[in-house]
Amino acid sequence: GSEMCIRDSARTFRPQAPGPPAWIISVDASPWGIGGVLTGTPGPSSWFADRLHPIHCSTLRAKRGVSDHMTTWELLALFVALRGWSHAAGIVSLHVRSDSVSALRALQRGAARAPGLNRLLVELALRDALAPQPLTLLEHIPGVQNEWPDHLSRLHAPEPHTVPAGLSGVPRLALPPRSSEWYQGSRGAPAPGA
């Protein structure tokens, strides 16, 4: 939406909106999977990791294991994170972190050239219109600072990583099964918590 801004280590594109501290969603993708961590004031609250499902590949016109589609997978990681955490109790606003400038800029603009990215942007616009928490800040961070989501995105890689030790004891977000129902933008609004 119009309130979103992108910040990186070099400059702030627009100042962050005042208000209570936002919860932070940090996401990452690999050619084999996606991962993310939800962090509040005391530290990590939840995490997810998932493989790239056939429904994502067919709907987004992208191939698993092919690095040419990384911006699509990075935006998919954010979409899945927001679907999973949008209705979590106690979250007033969300601050998104990613090491993909391309995905963040596409989200800020609300448009992209690739059909798969545009499909995700429709889904994210629908989420933005219906979810109780606004996305208040989009932040680009260097890949070396995105360690936990990076490891989570590679749990399904040919040489899989392990869940980071820092997330030991932190609950894993249960994601719903993937089917054609996953993509709601062309069919109407998802049910709360869907």
Side-chain angles (χ1 to χ4, degrees):
S2 59
E3 298 300 315
M4 289 187 287
C5 62
I6 299 177
R7 179 173 73 190
D8 66 16
S9 57
R11 59 187 169 139
T12 300
F13 291 75
R14 225 182 297 148
Q16 184 172 4
W23 285 71
I24 298 170
I25 290 178
S26 302
V27 294
D28 206 355
S30 75
W32 305 278
I34 55 177
V37 179
L38 177 67
T39 306
T41 305
S45 171
S46 179
W47 61 272
F48 80 90
D50 204 13
R51 67 185 177 92
L52 299 174
H53 291 263
I55 187 66
H56 298 313
C57 296
S58 62
T59 302
L60 303 177
R61 302 180 194 177
K63 292 184 181 178
R64 185 175 185 268
V66 177
S67 60
D68 293 352
H69 305 294
M70 285 309 303
T71 301
T72 299
W73 301 140
E74 298 275 2
L75 200 57
L76 175 66
L78 177 58
F79 171 51
V80 170
L82 291 172
R83 281 286 303 268
W85 287 315
S86 277
H87 296 277
I91 297 180
V92 177
S93 62
L94 291 166
H95 171 151
V96 171
R97 287 181 176 168
S98 171
D99 58 15
S100 173
V101 172
S102 299
L104 294 173
R105 287 194 187 281
L107 181 58
Q108 185 187 41
R109 286 192 307 261
R113 292 180 181 172
L117 283 174
N118 276 322
R119 180 63 188 265
L120 286 169
L121 291 168
V122 167
E123 300 292 337
L124 287 162
L126 178 62
R127 176 265 166 212
D128 202 35
L130 297 174
Q133 315 90 348
L135 296 181
T136 55
L137 185 72
L138 306 178
E139 182 178 7
H140 174 252
I141 58 173
V144 295
Q145 293 180 16
N146 208 23
E147 185 178 357
W148 287 351
D150 176 64
H151 280 277
L152 295 172
S153 76
R154 297 175 186 277
L155 295 186
H156 299 280
E159 296 180 8
H161 288 215
T162 58
V163 175
L167 295 175
S168 176
V170 175
R172 182 173 186 169
L173 175 66
L175 296 171
R178 301 310 149 78
S179 69
S180 58
E181 302 296 311
W182 184 259
Y183 293 92
Q184 303 284 334
S186 59
R187 304 184 321 102

